[in-house]
Amino acid sequence: MLTKNFSSLKLLLVTCCVAGITVTHSTAQPSHDDFMRDAAVCADNYLAYPEPKGVSLTPAPEGYEVFYLSHYGRHGSRWLIGRTAYEKAYDVLREAADSAQLTDKGLALMASIDTLRQWAHGRDGELTPLGARQHRGIAKRMYERFPELFQAGNKIEARSSTVIRCILSMANELSEFQGRSPQLEIDMDASSVDMTYINNKEKMDDGGKDKGNDGLTAFRERHFSPVRLLNSLFRSEDYWRRHIDHPTRFVIDNIWKLYADMQSLEPDRRVCMKGLFTDEELYNIWLVRNAEWYTSHGPSLSGRSVQMLRQRHLLRNIVEKADSCLALADNPAKSHVTASLRFGHEVVVMPTVCMLNLNGYGTRYDNLEQLEQNGWYSYRIFPMASNIQIVFYRKPGADILVKVLLNEREATMPQLTPVCGSVYYKWSDLRKYCLDCIQK
């Protein structure tokens, strides 16, 4: 937990005054150091995509050349989802204002939310201009890093979730590729046919798991209290306790989300909520959110992760597409897909990262307090536009090698043995690991 001396200025940079976002990714750094360097990370899955500035990739072993890339990416920055996202807090504050129960701070917050709700009208969950730029930037860097894959005559295949923000994210990446290589052949689609692996929602037995399991309820109560904030907004504590059900959830779901998602908007569409939360409150909300994501979409303490089980379809698709590409790549007379691009949601990115155990994110811990201690930080997994890239390399007469990029940074897979101690692994080893996951 942060101390009172922690710099409020650093944490408040996540507000409307922030234009640029930079996050240093290093599993050796505790999360509070990340916060001190860049307060924006408190936004959790609302973190605007941190561009990998200054990040260099390990050269392939001698004689190896890139020939295929398999990808899954989340949509870019967006407006909040659901009518109540901008309405619930406003309605509660409006009712309190009509009863003369809001402080000056509460009235200011109500005015800010009113501005946001008017801007957001009709844009439920839609991609923002920043989200579009994020995907163009990812495509630009992908093209510059692996130009061999996007040359004239090559074919790339793109599939998207049927949700419009995902389709537009795909369209922006493909537009960037096409602009740089006009003769590139592109096969794209967004169909319910592909949703089984793009965003599987099959009903599965969760073993009776609920939000209270894994010690999550006690963890939440231990780390965050909404009392100070609500007392600063309402004139009477008795009033808000009578009118707000589940105050902790109300603050996180209906006030903090507005605050966090400000990063998704253009500077002229941001409202200033400076001073709304204290530094410790922001940090502790992230601790709670981090634990919630771990139990719902990560390994979980109980070991029964429905979300991870659902991703077996995506792993199977990755393996089958790679097998097909490898088979055709050995026949120069036949053209083959050089990149398989998939566009979806963070609720797929996180469990897939955990299934693949990238950077050890598939580790199961004994209690939720161990997450922060061991570097299990949600914002490093699934910021807006987060992505997984599996890059394939070949050399005549040698094993096919792969390396995996998580948000365009080289990732390790502790369960596999790298080639020569590098970030390159045998595809046969990763393929077997994926198939074993599917079988289990």
Side-chain angles (χ1 to χ4, degrees):
M1 193 176 294
L2 298 185
T3 67
K4 294 292 184 181
N5 294 326
F6 185 79
S7 170
S8 297
L9 176 61
K10 288 283 186 182
L11 279 172
L12 293 174
L13 290 178
V14 74
T15 63
C16 57
C17 305
V18 177
I21 296 169
T22 304
V23 179
T24 301
H25 289 248
S26 168
T27 54
Q29 292 290 344
S31 59
H32 62 77
D33 283 359
D34 282 352
F35 278 69
M36 292 185 71
R37 284 191 300 272
D38 188 348
V41 297
C42 79
D44 193 46
N45 61 314
Y46 297 100
L47 173 65
Y49 189 70
E51 293 187 12
K53 296 178 179 178
V55 174
S56 59
L57 301 184
T58 305
E62 185 176 357
Y64 274 89
E65 296 181 350
V66 62
F67 75 102
Y68 176 63
L69 185 149
S70 188
H71 154 283
Y72 188 97
R74 181 194 183 191
H75 58 75
S77 287
R78 58 165 171 78
W79 293 88
L80 292 176
I81 300 172
R83 188 195 68 81
T84 61
Y86 297 95
E87 299 293 338
K88 180 63 180 293
Y90 177 79
D91 290 345
V92 170
L93 294 172
R94 179 73 269 174
E95 182 181 357
D98 291 342
S99 301
Q101 285 293 328
L102 287 189
T103 64
D104 289 345
K105 193 170 185 177
L107 290 168
L109 176 61
M110 183 181 72
S112 294
I113 295 176
D114 188 29
T115 299
L116 277 176
R117 63 194 279 270
Q118 293 182 52
W119 284 339
H121 181 69
R123 293 197 171 276
D124 185 2
E126 290 183 2
L127 196 72
T128 66
L130 175 60
R133 291 200 301 275
Q134 289 163 351
H135 280 279
R136 286 182 175 273
I138 291 169
K140 173 179 177 292
R141 289 184 294 275
M142 197 183 295
Y143 181 91
E144 291 173 345
R145 286 173 163 178
F146 314 113
E148 303 92 333
L149 303 179
F150 305 99
Q151 297 306 304
N154 285 0
K155 179 180 180 179
I156 62 175
E157 181 181 85
R159 297 291 182 265
S160 170
S161 162
T162 53
V163 177
I164 188 63
R165 59 182 173 273
C166 301
I167 296 173
L168 289 176
S169 295
M170 173 178 69
N172 275 277
E173 284 206 21
L174 297 182
S175 178
E176 185 70 25
F177 287 131
Q178 197 82 79
R180 292 173 177 273
S181 182
Q183 302 304 313
L184 178 65
E185 183 180 348
I186 296 176
D187 172 14
M188 68 171 173
D189 198 8
S191 169
S192 298
V193 170
D194 298 305
M195 291 297 280
T196 299
Y197 65 88
I198 292 291
N199 188 17
N200 186 281
K201 294 183 178 180
E202 65 184 325
K203 292 184 179 180
M204 300 180 69
D205 176 20
D206 65 359
K209 236 174 74 116
D210 57 36
K211 290 289 184 180
N213 281 344
D214 285 350
L216 183 57
T217 299
F219 183 91
R220 187 186 295 121
E221 293 175 352
R222 196 160 57 243
H223 284 281
F224 178 69
S225 168
V227 173
R228 187 215 61 83
L229 174 63
L230 293 176
N231 280 342
S232 75
L233 301 177
F234 296 89
R235 294 187 179 278
S236 165
E237 182 169 333
D238 177 67
Y239 176 89
W240 66 255
R241 287 192 182 278
R242 285 188 290 108
H243 287 78
I244 298 177
D245 296 327
H246 310 295
T248 296
R249 288 258 58 96
F250 172 78
V251 168
I252 295 177
D253 293 343
N254 300 288
I255 298 179
W256 173 84
K257 281 187 180 180
L258 297 175
Y259 182 90
D261 193 57
M262 209 70 68
Q263 296 184 28
S264 293
L265 309 182
E266 297 297 312
D268 62 352
R269 283 292 180 95
R270 300 177 188 179
V271 298
C272 193
M273 297 183 183
K274 185 176 182 180
L276 184 61
F277 294 94
T278 67
D279 46 17
E280 290 191 46
E281 286 169 345
L282 287 171
Y283 188 74
N284 289 329
I285 288 174
W286 170 76
L287 285 176
V288 170
R289 296 271 300 181
N290 193 55
E292 290 174 346
W293 282 110
Y294 180 84
T295 57
S296 64
H297 290 74
S300 82
L301 304 185
S302 67
R304 181 65 174 172
S305 175
V306 167
Q307 290 296 339
M308 286 177 64
L309 292 172
R310 285 175 175 153
Q311 305 324 313
R312 69 191 186 280
H313 300 291
L314 176 57
L315 291 189
R316 182 179 291 111
N317 182 263
I318 289 172
V319 169
E320 290 178 350
K321 289 290 183 182
D323 285 349
S324 174
C325 176
L326 268 58
L328 292 174
D330 290 333
N331 186 345
K334 294 185 178 181
S335 61
H336 68 279
V337 171
T338 56
S340 299
L341 309 179
R342 307 166 185 86
F343 296 85
H345 308 267
E346 83 267 47
V347 294
V348 176
V349 171
M350 173 167 280
T352 301
V353 166
C354 295
M355 284 275 278
L356 294 174
N357 197 28
L358 300 184
N359 294 335
Y361 278 112
T363 303
R364 186 168 297 126
Y365 297 102
D366 294 331
N367 66 73
L368 296 175
E369 299 293 349
Q370 294 179 313
L371 300 183
E372 183 193 21
Q373 300 166 11
N374 289 280
W376 204 95
Y377 307 152
S378 57
Y379 56 80
R380 293 182 179 176
I381 301 176
F382 63 176
M384 295 292 184
S386 52
N387 56 92
I388 303 166
Q389 299 178 27
I390 306 176
V391 192
F392 290 70
Y393 296 79
R394 64 180 174 180
K395 175 183 177 181
D399 292 314
I400 300 293
L401 300 184
V402 296
K403 71 174 172 184
V404 182
L405 307 182
L406 175 58
N407 300 325
E408 302 180 79
R409 295 164 172 82
E410 292 175 338
T412 60
M413 289 179 281
Q415 72 278 19
L416 303 180
T417 302
V419 175
C420 301
S422 69
V423 293
Y424 290 85
Y425 299 85
K426 291 182 180 180
W427 165 240
S428 58
D429 291 344
L430 178 55
R431 183 181 185 279
K432 181 179 184 303
Y433 177 80
C434 289
L435 293 177
D436 286 346
C437 286
I438 293 169
Q439 290 299 321
K440 291 177 183 177

